[in-house]
Amino acid sequence: MNADRAAAASKPIKTAISREDGIDFSIIELLFFAYRDFTSDPDQILAEYDFGRAHHRILHFVNRRPGLTVAELLDVLKITKQSLARVLKQLIDTGHIVQVQGPRDRRQRELYPTAKGRALALALARPQSRRIHDALQGAGSSDRAVVERFLKAMVNPELRAQIDNLPGNVPGKVDGD
Amino acid sequence: MNADRAAAASKPIKTAISREDGIDFSIIELLFFAYRDFTSDPDQILAEYDFGRAHHRILHFVNRRPGLTVAELLDVLKITKQSLARVLKQLIDTGHIVQVQGPRDRRQRELYPTAKGRALALALARPQSRRIHDALQGAGSSDRAVVERFLKAMVNPELRAQIDNLPGNVPGKVDGD
DNA sequence: AAATTTATGTCAATAGTGCTGACATATTTT
DNA sequence: AAAATATGTCAGCACTATTGACATAAATTT
């Protein structure tokens, strides 16, 4: 059969993969489906502006931390300067974001949303927030805390500090308490 | 000031967006960070094979539902035939997946993993499963149920049936009970 | 003051993943 | 025989991300 040359002639496995190797497929799949639908809400709005997810993310963090510098934004998003440039330029050209020369260090460009940028950020967040709210319907406030703890624990430890630096995310505190 | 022509001269907003409009920013952001780090684990392994996330998803579902047809796979992934084609072809050429002519309908191609494809699917799922396991450390089994319920509720209702059709995901049942 | 580092911007090329539209083939259904 | 279905394939385009190279201005170091 010459199964040694190309692996092409390998036999089909007909049994489904399951929990055999202690792999947590349920949550792996749920995260995939949940995130896909979670991002589909704003995607529809963005399409009207000829924007993509990258625009959304930038707009979001500039609204969450007005005055952050380009370097800080790159650090939060974990993308390269070149990837950011094009998208940020569009947001500036369309008047959603403005740049202000840094007061201490004049090389820096502080990024601020405009009223237009603030409005779009809110419009994009609204359906996502509603989806989360609906998903937590009937769940107690302790359930909300469980979900928050879980998601935060999924983040790489080095990056958890970043999350705490965002407004309203006091480390120990849980919304609704 | 001519703020009417281009929105270019709009004033910077210096206050951070917060919970003002009842938007749930904490969980929105947590989902972003959690999902990013969650997918970064397999991405590193995939890079060694010159594969991407698309390969991972296909490999995953072919392993979870061996024998599924191309049409079924398209339905689960919610992508187009043309998008699938390139990536699926690579997985077949590299001997990770084999096609078998449908027994009832000979137009159909049933997709099965090979031993090689099964092994890769497991290798990719392992770090994700470990991350989930670690994130649930110290949480009770009821916490796990809370997380599963939340994630499932985040998925569009029409699609929840699909999830239940995957092995080991009995609708009412929760792992660990 | 000169040299170096830092923050940002920009140009060019490339990759991965998705899309639409069009068309071909084999097979099943009507 | 005709129509519908399942799949495959070609061509072109869009978006997001990458790397490498280079430019400018401002701050820091020597």
Side-chain angles (χ1 to χ4, degrees):
Chain A
M1 252 292 187
N2 266 335
D4 48 297
R5 211 166 51 85
S10 212
K11 281 187 316 235
I13 294 179
K14 305 223 169 180
T15 60
I17 210 170
S18 66
R19 300 187 55 76
E20 43 189 35
D21 301 69
I23 305 284
D24 199 330
F25 288 110
S26 356
I27 292 190
I28 288 178
E29 280 158 5
L30 281 171
L31 275 168
F32 166 64
F33 289 119
Y35 194 76
R36 184 181 61 182
D37 290 350
F38 169 71
T39 52
S40 72
D41 293 331
D43 281 356
Q44 296 189 317
I45 300 170
L46 289 161
E48 298 165 24
Y49 294 76
D50 283 306
F51 286 168
R53 265 180 221 180
H55 299 81
H56 185 186
R57 290 198 285 269
I58 293 171
L59 207 45
H60 177 91
F61 286 108
V62 168
N63 271 282
R64 283 288 271 171
R65 271 186 20 201
L68 92 175
T69 64
V70 171
E72 285 168 342
L73 186 53
L74 289 175
D75 194 49
V76 173
L77 295 176
K78 296 266 174 291
I79 57 174
T80 59
K81 186 178 47 165
Q82 297 91 325
S83 298
L84 175 65
R86 233 173 336 181
V87 181
L88 179 57
K89 191 171 190 309
Q90 288 179 287
L91 286 167
I92 291 168
D93 289 348
T94 53
H96 290 93
I97 291 179
V98 287
Q99 286 180 316
V100 175
Q101 202 170 50
R104 283 172 291 279
D105 188 333
R106 286 184 305 174
R107 287 171 304 180
Q108 293 182 334
R109 305 296 149 87
E110 294 184 343
L111 303 172
Y112 292 95
T114 62
K116 191 178 173 186
R118 170 64 53 102
L120 181 52
L122 279 171
L124 292 169
R126 210 163 283 129
Q128 294 191 311
S129 186
R130 191 180 316 125
R131 183 184 288 267
I132 292 167
H133 176 260
D134 291 353
L136 288 172
Q137 270 300 60
S141 77
S142 69
D143 285 1
R144 190 202 157 85
V146 167
V147 169
E148 286 200 358
R149 259 197 300 276
F150 167 72
L151 290 175
K152 190 160 170 181
M154 289 288 288
V155 179
N156 288 343
E158 326 83 75
L159 302 167
R160 284 182 207 144
Q162 265 185 2
I163 299 175
D164 291 332
N165 284 338
L166 294 164
N169 291 340
V170 184
K173 186 178 172 300
V174 169
D175 290 330
D177 280 10
Chain B
M1 253 291 189
N2 266 337
D4 48 298
R5 211 166 53 85
S10 212
K11 283 187 314 236
I13 294 179
K14 305 223 171 181
T15 60
I17 210 170
S18 65
R19 301 188 54 77
E20 44 189 34
D21 301 69
I23 305 283
D24 198 330
F25 288 111
S26 357
I27 292 190
I28 288 178
E29 281 158 4
L30 281 171
L31 274 168
F32 167 65
F33 289 120
Y35 194 77
R36 184 180 63 182
D37 290 351
F38 169 71
T39 52
S40 73
D41 293 330
D43 281 356
Q44 295 189 319
I45 300 170
L46 290 161
E48 298 166 22
Y49 293 77
D50 282 307
F51 285 167
R53 267 180 219 180
H55 299 83
H56 185 187
R57 290 199 284 269
I58 293 171
L59 207 45
H60 176 91
F61 286 108
V62 168
N63 271 282
R64 283 287 272 171
R65 265 175 37 192
L68 91 176
T69 64
V70 171
E72 286 168 341
L73 186 53
L74 290 175
D75 194 50
V76 173
L77 296 176
K78 296 266 175 288
I79 58 173
T80 60
K81 185 178 47 166
Q82 297 90 327
S83 299
L84 175 65
R86 235 173 334 186
V87 181
L88 179 57
K89 191 172 190 308
Q90 288 179 288
L91 287 168
I92 291 168
D93 290 347
T94 52
H96 291 92
I97 291 179
V98 286
Q99 287 179 315
V100 175
Q101 202 172 49
R104 282 172 292 281
D105 187 332
R106 286 186 305 176
R107 287 171 305 181
Q108 294 183 333
R109 305 295 149 87
E110 295 183 342
L111 303 172
Y112 292 95
T114 62
K116 190 177 173 187
R118 171 64 53 100
L120 181 52
L122 279 170
L124 293 170
R126 210 163 282 130
Q128 294 191 311
S129 186
R130 191 180 316 124
R131 183 183 288 267
I132 292 167
H133 177 260
D134 291 352
L136 288 172
Q137 270 299 62
S141 77
S142 70
D143 286 0
R144 190 202 158 84
V146 167
V147 169
E148 287 200 357
R149 260 197 299 277
F150 168 73
L151 290 175
K152 190 160 170 182
M154 289 288 288
V155 179
N156 288 344
E158 325 82 76
L159 302 166
R160 282 181 209 147
Q162 265 185 4
I163 299 175
D164 291 331
N165 284 337
L166 294 164
N169 291 341
V170 185
K173 187 179 173 299
V174 168
D175 290 332
D177 279 11

